[in-house]
Amino acid sequence: SSDNLWIGTYQSMSVYNGASWSTYENVFPYSACCDSEGTLWIGTRRDMMRYDGAVFQPFLDRTSLLPSNGIYALVRATDGDFWLGTGAGLIVNRDDKWITMDTGNYSVSAVIEDTKGDIWAGSKKYFYLNRYDGVAWQRYSTQAVSFPYPAVTFLSPCDSGGVYVNVYTNGGRGGALGRFDGDSWTTITSGTYT
């Protein structure tokens, strides 16, 4: 999976292997990640799926104890833990047990592991960015730390520490990409549209 290009659409996943495309219908991907072993994981509107090299196999189902069916963000951390951003909060699978994290009961739209191993989670609905250092959570209000727009939609680790953050207005008419190091925001690019 790690050498292939994967693209998710509303209801399918397509993969390009360097020579041809294959499409898997009725997957309904919301999020995806590839772990250190090259396994592709998909968060969907109903469950979590694992690509076994031929088909997508359910890893979770609707009867699991998730706080919400939709998995909007997921990452498999280097320690093996699965972090899932759902419509009702952030959960982690540690030692085959699901634990709801106390980050506030809000929709999590982005989750990543940074280069130091800290977990970051962002919300596009309630304007928060959270960082977990393995011991405690630190919550940042996107308005209090002067992000140019409040809603967090995407996170990516920054090699020099901190995270790249994509933010947009609640009404969706402006956005920015910047870097946040835990103390300050630096805008890389921003704009508005009508």
Side-chain angles (χ1 to χ4, degrees):
S1 289
S2 60
D3 292 335
N4 297 327
L5 173 65
W6 288 90
I7 296 175
T9 67
Y10 172 71
Q11 68 181 30
S12 66
M13 289 293 292
S14 294
V15 60
Y16 182 69
N17 64 10
S20 63
W21 287 93
S22 298
T23 299
Y24 300 86
E25 298 290 340
N26 300 314
V27 178
F28 299 96
Y30 281 177
S31 56
C33 76
C34 195
D35 65 22
S36 61
E37 298 163 4
T39 302
L40 178 67
W41 299 89
I42 304 292
T44 75
R45 67 181 184 177
R46 294 188 181 140
D47 52 30
M48 187 167 139
M49 302 178 93
R50 177 185 182 274
Y51 181 69
D52 69 5
V55 296
F56 286 95
Q57 297 289 332
F59 182 74
L60 301 174
D61 60 34
R62 290 178 221 128
T63 62
S64 66
L65 299 175
L66 298 178
S68 172
N69 284 340
I71 300 171
Y72 302 114
L74 75 139
V75 67
R76 186 151 197 198
T78 53
D79 63 7
D81 290 350
F82 273 110
W83 293 83
L84 308 181
T86 73
L90 183 68
I91 60 170
V92 61
N93 183 287
R94 183 173 293 142
D95 301 323
D96 293 323
K97 295 178 184 167
W98 290 104
I99 303 164
T100 300
M101 302 309 289
D102 185 18
T103 58
N105 189 20
Y106 63 87
S107 177
V108 174
S109 54
V111 61
I112 59 108
E113 178 182 31
D114 71 14
T115 57
K116 296 188 308 184
D118 291 353
I119 300 297
W120 293 77
S123 171
K124 64 182 176 183
K125 188 173 181 183
Y126 295 103
F127 314 142
Y128 286 106
L129 181 62
N130 294 287
R131 179 175 62 183
Y132 182 65
D133 64 5
V135 178
W137 285 98
Q138 168 110 27
R139 175 180 281 189
Y140 307 95
S141 165
T142 56
Q143 294 159 330
V145 295
S146 300
F147 284 24
Y149 301 99
V152 176
T153 60
F154 180 79
L155 297 169
S156 181
C158 181
D159 289 341
S160 59
V163 291
Y164 292 111
V165 184
N166 184 57
V167 292
Y168 78 107
T169 63
N170 201 20
R173 297 209 179 270
L177 174 66
R179 182 178 170 275
F180 183 64
D181 63 9
D183 294 313
S184 61
W185 167 271
T186 303
T187 298
I188 295 170
T189 186
S190 68
T192 58
Y193 59 92
T194 57

